[in-house]
Amino acid sequence: SYVLTQPPSVSVAPGETASIACGGNNIGSKSVHWYQQRPGQAPVLVIYYNNDRPSGIPERFSGSNSGNTATLTISRVEAGDEADYYCQVWDSNSDLGLFGGGTKLTV
Amino acid sequence: EVQLVESGGGLVKPEGSLRLSCEASGFTFKNAGMSWVRQVPGKGLEWVGRIKSKTDGGTTHYAAFVNGRFTISRDDSKNTLYLQMNSLKTEDTALYYCTFTYCSGGTCYSYSWGQGTLVTVSS
């Protein structure tokens, strides 16, 4: 079965750029979606179709996807960006979504 | 504004049953695919299952761990999604989220999420 691998944690100083990786076999051939989950809150979609942002999501959030790695990039990181981030692809075999294990971003 | 409000969670004994509900508003529910996603406290997200809109066939799909124990249904007249859970196990203890699942181009994602309802399975 398909597996998405994320680093457990990433640390970044305020104002710097954070990059969160999501690894999977030939993930570049799939569409990757990203969710932010702040402590005690429900997840929020921040990137869909690799690099599209829902309305209300700052331009500081961007995504890329190529080869075996998709990446969520957060520019000019703020304290409010501290959260868990999950990547997700669609598994055509099960016809369900598949999440990575999540990455805790510490600012 | 899309709103999803889950209810029905609580404490249940192993092998017991529970029905979760999710009341939707702010979008045309009958045209929407919907999913249940769960999260064990302190752990990651896990897709439980989904139901397509009736215009897309109304079919349901479940994660392997469900193994026939859960049933997802919908009442479009009430804008409500359900998750009937039977033969519950301690490992089903989790926060259960209802999501509006948008699909296009061979992929789907959860566009909006409810706040979740907590299910605790314990004797």
Side-chain angles (χ1 to χ4, degrees):
Chain A
S1 60
Y2 197 76
V3 176
L4 294 175
T5 301
Q6 296 183 240
S9 62
V10 168
S11 294
V12 64
E16 298 297 310
T17 297
S19 295
I20 298 173
C22 176
N25 185 32
N26 197 26
I27 196 173
S29 66
K30 300 178 181 291
S31 287
V32 178
H33 318 294
W34 291 90
Y35 303 87
Q36 174 195 67
Q37 186 177 32
R38 293 188 173 108
Q41 297 187 19
V44 171
L45 179 72
V46 293
I47 292 287
Y48 61 102
Y49 294 138
N50 299 318
N51 194 26
D52 286 342
R53 280 176 291 102
S55 60
I57 301 302
E59 291 183 8
R60 302 184 296 105
F61 288 79
S62 64
S64 63
N65 185 16
S66 178
N68 292 319
T69 305
T71 304
L72 173 69
T73 301
I74 309 172
S75 305
R76 302 181 300 282
V77 167
E78 303 173 356
D81 298 331
E82 190 162 279
D84 293 325
Y85 290 85
Y86 295 90
C87 59
Q88 179 244 309
V89 298
W90 197 252
D91 182 351
S92 57
N93 290 326
S94 65
D95 209 8
L96 290 176
L98 178 68
F99 292 103
T103 298
K104 179 176 180 59
L105 176 67
T106 300
V107 180
Chain B
E1 179 193 2
V2 173
Q3 279 204 313
L4 299 168
V5 180
E6 302 95 335
S7 61
L11 176 63
V12 61
K13 289 181 167 53
E15 295 303 315
S17 297
L18 210 57
R19 189 177 82 154
L20 307 183
S21 300
C22 170
E23 191 168 337
S25 60
F27 63 103
T28 306
F29 180 78
K30 67 177 182 179
N31 294 338
M34 301 293 295
S35 296
W36 289 97
V37 174
R38 71 182 186 181
Q39 185 173 36
V40 173
K43 302 295 185 183
L45 301 170
E46 185 173 43
W47 219 288
V48 176
R50 76 166 180 136
I51 185 167
K52 295 182 179 180
S53 66
K54 286 189 170 58
T55 53
D56 279 342
T59 54
T60 52
H61 303 268
Y62 300 96
F65 65 80
V66 168
N67 201 22
R69 300 180 299 128
F70 297 175
T71 301
I72 297 174
S73 61
R74 61 192 300 157
D75 186 338
D76 291 341
S77 68
K78 296 181 179 179
N79 286 354
T80 302
L81 176 73
Y82 301 101
L83 177 62
Q84 176 68 46
M85 301 187 294
N86 300 328
S87 302
L88 282 161
K89 306 175 182 180
T90 54
E91 52 263 42
D92 294 318
T93 293
L95 189 61
Y96 284 75
Y97 292 104
C98 159
T99 82
F100 168 17
T101 305
Y102 182 79
C103 297
S104 179
T107 188
C108 307
Y109 54 88
S110 284
Y111 184 83
S112 291
W113 299 62
Q115 286 303 305
T117 186
L118 182 62
V119 173
T120 303
V121 184
S122 174
S123 56

